[in-house]
Amino acid sequence: MITGELEHKSELAILLALTEEHDPALLRRWVRSAGPAGRPLDVLLARDFAAFENALGVLAERGYVIRGRGGAPPATPR
């Protein structure tokens, strides 16, 4: 964040509070990954903070799920 931005954009404080319990490295990857309701980055860009909060709830509940290409589950090791 740029110095002073937190005071001028109230949504940043809310987003920081919502994401503080998650690993920043995981969030960087997760926010760009397609989940059950699309990409969390897309809802942020649309300023749909309620949908982002719901996506964080799914992340907390399910964890970060990695799927194979085409949405198929990853291959089971032999």
Side-chain angles (χ1 to χ4, degrees), residues 11 42-50:
E11 64 269 12
D42 294 332
V43 296
L44 278 178
L45 291 173
R47 302 181 62 80
D48 187 350
F49 301 116

Side-chain angles (χ1 to χ4, degrees), residues 8 18 30-31 53 55 60-61 70 73 76:
H8 298 293
L18 287 172
W30 169 79
V31 77
E53 186 174 5
E61 190 176 295
T76 304

Side-chain angles (χ1 to χ4, degrees), residues 35-74:
R39 292 186 332 153
L41 181 60
D42 294 332
V43 296
L44 278 178
L45 291 173
R47 302 181 62 80
D48 187 350
F49 301 116
F52 184 75
E53 186 174 5
N54 290 341
L56 278 171
V58 172
L59 174 63
E61 190 176 295
R62 295 179 52 198
Y64 185 66
V65 178
I66 300 173
R67 297 192 181 273
R69 293 182 184 191

Side-chain angles (χ1 to χ4, degrees), residues 7-49:
E7 294 84 29
H8 298 293
K9 297 183 178 180
S10 60
E11 64 269 12
L12 291 179
I14 296 167
L15 289 173
L16 286 172
L18 287 172
T19 59
E20 72 183 349
E21 67 184 48
H22 298 282
D23 175 39
L26 172 72
L27 285 175
R28 279 191 294 276
R29 185 166 179 175
W30 169 79
V31 77
R32 290 175 176 84
S33 301
R39 292 186 332 153
L41 181 60
D42 294 332
V43 296
L44 278 178
L45 291 173
R47 302 181 62 80
D48 187 350
F49 301 116

